[in-house]
């Protein structure tokens, strides 16, 4: 987990290379509550990926309360957090950079509440629309030898875990080609 934390810190520090706007400058990650607009976007995007991952797990025989990376003791669900780790950069981060770099979000899309900054209704609507578009994006899946949506890839990842648990087969991570 310490290594993962260091990798995330390095990853987040690269955000300023991708987006050079002062409003979305990344300094440090604050989650509860988000303190900056970029933190608000990261938190909102990640929560959407967790929700989609959970909905795809429900399409399998897996128990979402049992994870393999995140511990199961403090939260109701942890398997969706494990699966979401793969897809947060592909979904949440790409969506936020698309919106920032196309100037679709500005200060007017955020509001301050209880010592934190959050997307307002209009900002959430813009983010959700772009997120839904990204979920529908198709990529070539080499194991299936056809294009599938990113949403479907999340379910395929859950099926792989299910197969591993049931058949004790070797787990094959998803390889994406864009």
């Amino acid at each position: 987990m310490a290594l993962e934390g260091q990798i995330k810190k390095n990853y987040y520090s690269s955000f300023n290379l991708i987006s050079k706007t002062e409003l979305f400058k990344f300094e440090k990650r604050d989650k509860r509550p988000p303190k900056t607009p970029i933190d608000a976007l990261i938190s909102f995007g990640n929560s959407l990926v967790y929700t989609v991952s959970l909905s795809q797990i429900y399409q399998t025989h897996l128990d979402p309360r049992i994870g393999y990376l995140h511990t199961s003791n403090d939260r109701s669900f942890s398997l969706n957090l494990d699966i979401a780790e793969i897809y947060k950069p592909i979904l949440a981060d790409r969506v936020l950079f698309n919106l920032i770099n196309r100037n679709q979000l500005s200060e007017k899309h955020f509001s301050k509440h209880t010592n934190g900054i959050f997307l307002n209704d209009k900002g959430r609507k813009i983010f959700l629309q772009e997120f839904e578009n990204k979920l529908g994006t198709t990529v070539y899946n080499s194991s299936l030898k056809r294009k599938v949506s990113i949403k479907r890839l999340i379910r395929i990842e859950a099926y792989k875990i299910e197969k591993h648990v049931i058949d004790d087969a070797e787990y094959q991570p998803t390889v994406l080609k864009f």
Side-chain angles (χ1 to χ4, degrees):
M1 292 302 265
L3 179 61
E4 180 189 1
Q6 186 59 43
I7 291 168
K8 279 187 179 180
K9 184 178 178 182
N10 291 339
Y11 175 66
Y12 285 139
S13 71
S14 70
F15 276 31
N16 293 332
L17 298 173
I18 300 167
S19 169
K20 296 182 178 167
T21 63
E22 204 55 40
L23 176 64
F24 298 107
K25 186 171 176 72
F26 185 86
E27 293 175 15
K28 71 178 190 112
R29 182 78 171 105
D30 286 311
K31 298 178 190 179
R32 293 184 188 100
K35 303 275 192 248
T36 64
I38 192 74
D39 279 330
L41 291 173
I42 293 168
S43 293
F44 186 69
N46 288 351
S47 70
L48 294 175
V49 178
Y50 298 143
T51 302
V52 170
S53 297
L54 183 60
S55 73
Q56 296 307 301
I57 290 167
Y58 280 137
Q59 303 302 313
T60 70
H61 294 99
L62 294 169
D63 185 339
R65 297 173 296 178
I66 302 170
Y68 55 90
L69 178 63
H70 293 86
T71 57
S72 304
N73 55 2
D74 290 344
R75 30 181 97 76
S76 301
F77 303 114
S78 57
L79 184 57
N80 63 320
L81 303 180
D82 295 343
I83 291 175
E85 288 299 325
I86 301 165
Y87 294 95
K88 288 189 306 188
I90 297 165
L91 281 168
D93 297 348
R94 282 196 177 190
V95 166
L96 76 88
F97 286 126
N98 285 344
L99 294 172
I100 290 170
N101 291 333
R102 286 190 248 142
N103 297 316
Q104 290 180 271
L105 292 174
S106 65
E107 275 187 84
K108 70 180 182 184
H109 296 108
F110 297 88
S111 57
K112 189 170 173 82
H113 297 285
T114 59
N115 299 325
I117 295 177
F118 301 91
L119 277 166
N120 62 24
D121 288 342
K122 190 171 182 182
R124 284 192 301 272
K125 184 177 179 180
I126 292 168
F127 197 104
L128 281 168
Q129 181 62 53
E130 185 71 18
F131 186 82
E132 285 296 324
N133 291 344
K134 186 57 80 178
L135 272 179
T137 301
T138 58
V139 295
Y140 183 77
N141 183 292
S142 56
S143 11
L144 295 176
K145 296 182 177 27
R146 65 182 171 96
K147 285 189 166 192
V148 295
S149 70
I150 292 176
K151 185 175 183 179
R152 182 74 177 161
L153 279 177
I154 297 171
R155 186 179 310 173
I156 290 168
E157 201 67 33
Y159 284 147
K160 288 177 183 179
I161 296 168
E162 180 181 42
K163 183 173 176 17
H164 179 71
V165 170
I166 293 171
D167 296 342
D168 200 29
E170 187 175 322
Y171 174 70
Q172 298 290 321
T174 297
V175 176
L176 304 176
K177 294 180 183 175
F178 291 92

